[in-house]
Amino acid sequence: MPEVKVINFGAGPAKLPEEVLLEVQKELLNYAGTGMSVMEMSHRSADYLNINNNCQNSLRNLLNIPDNYHILFMQGGGTGLFAAVAMNLISRTGSADYIVTGTWSKKAAKEAAKYGKVNLVLPDTKIGTIQDQSEWKLSPDASYVYYCDNETVDGVEFPYVPETGDVPLVTDMSSNFLTRPFDVSKFGVVFAGAQKNFGPSGIVVAIVRDDLLGSALPFTPSVFDFAQIAKENSVLNTPPTFQVYTIWRVFEWIRRNGGVEGMQERSRLKSGSVYEAIRNSKGFYESPIDENVRSRVNIPFKLRGGADADAEFLKGASKLGMTQLKGHRSVGGIRVSLYNAITLEETKLFVDYMNRFTSSYKK
Amino acid sequence: MPEVKVINFGAGPAKLPEEVLLEVQKELLNYAGTGMSVMEMSHRSADYLNINNNCQNSLRNLLNIPDNYHILFMQGGGTGLFAAVAMNLISRTGSADYIVTGTWSKKAAKEAAKYGKVNLVLPDTKIGTIQDQSEWKLSPDASYVYYCDNETVDGVEFPYVPETGDVPLVTDMSSNFLTRPFDVSKFGVVFAGAQKNFGPSGIVVAIVRDDLLGSALPFTPSVFDFAQIAKENSVLNTPPTFQVYTIWRVFEWIRRNGGVEGMQERSRLKSGSVYEAIRNSKGFYESPIDENVRSRVNIPFKLRGGADADAEFLKGASKLGMTQLKGHRSVGGIRVSLYNAITLEETKLFVDYMNRFTSSYKK
């Protein structure tokens, strides 16, 4: 172990609950008395199919997912889903609406343009704001409306679910999935990579409404065809079995800790304390994000002192074991990520450091 | 632990070297003194980029991969690669040659047909044989020639590398990768899922020749575009970091155990002893596969006694802890898989059981 206990504030892959890692470690060579590792089990075995079903049930309970939604385990990350969403949904009208509020929704729109016409709903996006819905240019003939519920790089989070009438709503929740309850029935598709709030990288969960299956473009790879995956209960081909097992353990950890309502309350307290430190710093720390759309999970900020101050802040944090705090290369500054596994205590240590640093810097 | 030590002869996901599982277990919460799990590390961190590079170097050394080949870490399994291969390579002429020798090459040909014209080189395939090369109908204008080096379900393995002149050769080595040396320079693309011989499911390794990059069809998803993945050194988006780490550990285990030459020698001894037991059984056990194309890693066989005898054989094996021996649902009978992690001792126990069973059955 390093001399100081590490506190990992990274944006992802990110901290996992220690309790879950200890469980995974304990049964790494012998899952549930089978005498073998989860990694060694056939994906067609009764033991694995139980894991597959238990994992889905656990998530269905956490989010009250209605029966007319399928839970799909997929590979290829969020970037894979950017293509898959368009390949599966855009054929109805040939076009889709994209609400671009940051780095990831912009990438999603670019990938989707390979498969149809992409309308940018907010042509004059200024990162750090979300224009009022009354100004959006939604197209009546869009196959779907797409947005990113939380922009990991930019720190912008939707405080509401957009209203799109009968047009199916699709959202990338990769960085805030399971950090608050939401009404699944408002969506056509919700997807999220695991590596922020609920597991290791290498798996994406997609929640897909029944009636949206079966319209994939003819050249859709089988492993990206929602209908095929749904039909085979996410065992179309060999799934990432270790990931399915691990995210199930995290789902159960969330359940034991108050469910998504518990995560939401902790998220409120954690992010609230960081934003309070920014506000109380009288401009020493600056958030470039509008107050009403500030992310609860990814908080980018800059120091008034500029890059030198950023560097000294990071150096001091590092001495305290606080790691992966550097802002995204495209943004700079500091970014603290407060995903589900980050504790209130860890957040308090960070906030205390923020407060101390304002007075200790260049005195 | 179960009362009897389990011996896992499954076809995949399959047994992993115990030594590697113990290493992974030991550092599950603290990789190399970083104070965090591999699963918690940013894929852009120096620690992970070292794993990424070390893993590639380790494989490059094992197989003497020439400098003009890229090693790509991909997701989506073999089935994902069935699409990716065609999407990346078929555009040159619009058609490709497929040598169908079993279940998996048949599926690959079907998936490829979404992207261009698929010529079946062996129109009258009889499973269990590989027609002589002189009878193949190769097309001079094929973009590539595709084959499956070892058919996991059917137990057919190529004893040679097909000769295709200037047409790039593509092979799926998912079930026999790293079980013998081969000359990489004879291939355009070699790919293999990890879950048979070198790791957990959720990762595919593709070895791609330089000059084949950059011709992907315009609608290829970014995560399936060989050129984009190569350019970003397999960190185009978040890779399955835990898998990359684990396969690296298996590569190092192979190196310590004599490299692919060592694996080949063990494979020869293991499969040789099973085939010997079949031959010596005087028809009690039957292999449906031509002698010259019998797989060294997946050995399907049937009992003269029919389904009842199969069932009793499996029951007796199960009592000895020998699991996952049931033949593929499409084939029936017994299938014993002898991947790299299966030891000579475990194979001997199985062969001894085969021999005992011939005399004990229905006496």
Side-chain angles (χ1 to χ4, degrees):
Chain A
M1 276 284 188
E3 287 174 33
V4 184
K5 189 167 165 62
V6 164
I7 309 179
N8 176 1
F9 289 111
K15 191 186 178 220
L16 291 168
E18 190 173 18
E19 206 175 305
V20 171
L21 287 175
L22 287 168
E23 277 177 30
V24 170
Q25 182 179 45
K26 192 176 168 194
E27 56 191 14
L28 199 83
L29 279 83
N30 183 13
Y31 168 73
T34 57
M36 60 177 89
S37 176
V38 164
M39 293 184 259
E40 301 176 303
M41 287 172 11
S42 167
H43 57 298
R44 308 276 174 204
S45 67
D47 286 318
Y48 178 73
L49 294 177
N50 276 334
I51 291 173
N52 186 44
N53 288 331
N54 288 336
C55 183
Q56 290 181 42
N57 290 337
S58 187
L59 180 62
R60 200 173 283 277
N61 289 334
L62 283 177
L63 290 173
N64 290 311
I65 301 175
D67 287 346
N68 61 325
Y69 285 78
H70 294 271
I71 296 171
L72 311 181
F73 300 136
M74 297 179 63
Q75 296 184 65
T79 304
L81 266 287
F82 296 165
V85 160
M87 290 177 130
N88 280 278
L89 303 187
I90 210 164
S91 74
R92 193 168 60 86
T93 68
S95 72
D97 279 357
Y98 276 71
I99 304 171
V100 172
T101 56
T103 305
W104 290 106
S105 46
K106 192 175 172 186
K107 286 194 182 191
K110 192 180 167 198
E111 187 81 2
K114 293 178 181 171
Y115 309 103
K117 185 166 175 291
V118 166
N119 308 312
L120 297 179
V121 173
L122 316 173
D124 308 313
T125 300
K126 183 178 158 286
I127 300 303
T129 71
I130 301 178
Q131 283 172 259
D132 191 80
Q133 284 191 84
S134 61
E135 299 171 42
W136 296 4
K137 295 175 193 161
L138 293 171
S139 326
D141 68 338
S143 293
Y144 60 93
V145 177
Y146 179 103
Y147 76 108
C148 179
D149 201 38
N150 183 81
E151 286 282 359
T152 318
V153 170
D154 309 285
V156 172
E157 186 176 28
F158 269 79
Y160 56 83
V161 176
E163 182 49 62
T164 59
D166 289 339
V167 181
L169 188 58
V170 176
T171 191
D172 171 5
M173 284 197 190
S174 287
S175 42
N176 66 351
F177 193 64
L178 301 175
T179 65
R180 63 181 177 190
F182 64 94
D183 181 354
V184 174
S185 73
K186 288 187 173 173
F187 294 88
V189 177
V190 175
F191 71 87
Q195 68 270 18
K196 318 286 191 183
N197 281 298
F198 62 101
S201 60
I203 188 166
V204 184
V205 169
I207 303 170
V208 181
R209 207 175 62 205
D210 230 337
D211 61 295
L212 298 175
L213 299 176
S215 306
L217 291 166
F219 50 72
T220 305
S222 295
V223 297
F224 279 168
D225 184 337
F226 292 160
Q228 286 192 55
I229 300 166
K231 183 166 172 257
E232 301 294 337
N233 195 24
S234 293
V235 199
L236 172 70
N237 66 332
T238 317
T241 53
F242 178 76
Q243 272 82 351
V244 174
Y245 154 77
T246 306
I247 67 173
W248 169 40
R249 292 297 157 108
V250 178
F251 295 158
E252 287 298 299
W253 174 86
I254 291 174
R255 184 183 58 73
R256 291 195 301 276
N257 286 274
V260 286
E261 294 78 10
M263 296 298 124
Q264 181 180 38
E265 176 60 9
R266 287 171 57 173
S267 174
R268 190 182 67 80
L269 295 170
K270 291 184 291 183
S271 60
S273 69
V274 171
Y275 284 118
E276 192 186 358
I278 291 174
R279 265 193 306 273
N280 291 346
S281 77
K282 294 172 185 151
F284 187 91
Y285 302 115
E286 290 165 359
S287 162
I289 312 300
D290 284 359
E291 291 244 6
N292 64 325
V293 297
R294 285 183 178 172
S295 170
R296 297 162 306 122
V297 283
N298 305 110
I299 306 183
F301 61 87
K302 290 188 178 181
L303 275 67
R304 188 171 50 205
D308 286 351
D310 290 347
E312 194 155 331
F313 182 90
L314 289 170
K315 200 172 144 192
S318 175
K319 279 186 189 156
L320 299 169
M322 298 174 184
T323 64
Q324 307 208 95
L325 279 162
K326 201 173 175 182
H328 190 270
R329 54 205 159 142
S330 67
V331 173
I334 314 295
R335 174 176 52 175
V336 58
S337 295
L338 303 171
Y339 297 131
N340 282 341
I342 296 288
T343 64
L344 296 172
E345 295 68 30
E346 288 169 332
T347 310
K348 185 170 184 311
L349 288 171
F350 180 73
V351 169
D352 289 348
Y353 171 64
M354 284 181 77
N355 291 333
R356 280 202 310 279
F357 190 79
T358 57
S359 47
S360 71
Y361 180 66
K362 283 194 181 167
K363 275 242 167 151
Chain B
M1 275 287 187
E3 287 173 32
V4 183
K5 192 169 162 60
V6 163
I7 309 178
N8 177 2
F9 289 111
K15 189 183 180 223
L16 291 168
E18 190 173 19
E19 205 176 306
V20 171
L21 287 175
L22 288 168
E23 277 177 29
V24 169
Q25 182 179 46
K26 191 175 169 195
E27 55 190 14
L28 198 83
L29 278 82
N30 183 12
Y31 169 72
T34 56
M36 60 178 90
S37 175
V38 165
M39 293 185 256
E40 301 176 304
M41 289 173 9
S42 167
H43 56 298
R44 309 277 173 202
S45 67
D47 285 318
Y48 178 73
L49 295 176
N50 276 333
I51 291 172
N52 186 42
N53 289 330
N54 288 336
C55 182
Q56 291 181 42
N57 291 336
S58 187
L59 180 62
R60 200 173 284 277
N61 289 334
L62 283 178
L63 290 174
N64 290 312
I65 300 175
D67 287 346
N68 62 327
Y69 285 78
H70 294 271
I71 296 171
L72 310 182
F73 301 136
M74 296 179 64
Q75 297 184 65
T79 306
L81 266 287
F82 295 166
V85 159
M87 290 177 130
N88 279 279
L89 303 187
I90 210 165
S91 73
R92 193 168 59 84
T93 67
S95 72
D97 280 355
Y98 276 72
I99 305 171
V100 173
T101 55
T103 305
W104 291 105
S105 46
K106 192 175 172 187
K107 287 194 183 195
K110 192 179 168 199
E111 187 81 0
K114 293 179 182 171
Y115 309 103
K117 184 167 178 293
V118 166
N119 309 312
L120 297 180
V121 173
L122 316 173
D124 309 312
T125 300
K126 184 178 157 287
I127 300 303
T129 70
I130 300 177
Q131 285 172 259
D132 192 80
Q133 283 191 84
S134 62
E135 300 170 42
W136 296 3
K137 295 176 192 161
L138 293 171
S139 326
D141 70 338
S143 292
Y144 59 93
V145 177
Y146 180 103
Y147 76 108
C148 179
D149 202 39
N150 183 80
E151 286 282 359
T152 317
V153 170
D154 308 287
V156 172
E157 186 176 29
F158 269 80
Y160 56 84
V161 176
E163 182 49 62
T164 58
D166 288 339
V167 181
L169 188 59
V170 176
T171 191
D172 171 4
M173 284 196 189
S174 286
S175 42
N176 66 351
F177 193 63
L178 300 175
T179 65
R180 63 182 177 190
F182 64 94
D183 182 353
V184 175
S185 73
K186 289 188 174 173
F187 293 89
V189 177
V190 175
F191 70 86
Q195 68 270 19
K196 317 285 192 185
N197 281 298
F198 62 101
S201 61
I203 188 166
V204 184
V205 168
I207 303 170
V208 181
R209 206 175 63 204
D210 228 336
D211 61 296
L212 298 176
L213 299 176
S215 305
L217 291 166
F219 51 72
T220 305
S222 296
V223 297
F224 279 168
D225 184 337
F226 292 160
Q228 285 193 56
I229 300 166
K231 182 166 172 257
E232 300 293 336
N233 194 25
S234 293
V235 199
L236 172 69
N237 66 332
T238 316
T241 52
F242 177 75
Q243 272 80 353
V244 173
Y245 154 77
T246 306
I247 68 173
W248 169 38
R249 291 298 157 107
V250 178
F251 295 158
E252 287 299 299
W253 174 85
I254 292 174
R255 184 182 58 74
R256 291 195 301 275
N257 286 275
V260 286
E261 294 78 10
M263 296 298 122
Q264 182 180 37
E265 175 59 9
R266 286 171 56 174
S267 174
R268 189 182 68 78
L269 294 170
K270 291 184 292 185
S271 59
S273 68
V274 172
Y275 285 119
E276 192 185 357
I278 292 174
R279 264 194 308 273
N280 290 347
S281 77
K282 294 173 185 152
F284 187 91
Y285 302 114
E286 290 166 358
S287 163
I289 313 299
D290 284 0
E291 290 246 7
N292 63 325
V293 297
R294 287 184 177 173
S295 170
R296 298 162 305 122
V297 283
N298 304 109
I299 307 183
F301 61 88
K302 290 187 178 181
L303 274 67
R304 187 170 49 203
D308 287 350
D310 291 347
E312 194 155 333
F313 182 90
L314 289 171
K315 200 172 145 193
S318 175
K319 279 188 189 155
L320 299 170
M322 298 174 182
T323 65
Q324 308 206 92
L325 279 164
K326 199 172 177 183
H328 190 269
R329 54 204 159 140
S330 67
V331 173
I334 313 295
R335 175 176 52 175
V336 59
S337 295
L338 304 171
Y339 297 131
N340 282 340
I342 296 288
T343 64
L344 295 172
E345 293 68 29
E346 288 169 333
T347 310
K348 185 169 185 311
L349 289 171
F350 180 74
V351 169
D352 288 348
Y353 171 64
M354 284 181 77
N355 290 334
R356 281 202 310 279
F357 190 79
T358 57
S359 46
S360 72
Y361 181 66
K362 284 194 179 165
K363 274 246 164 145

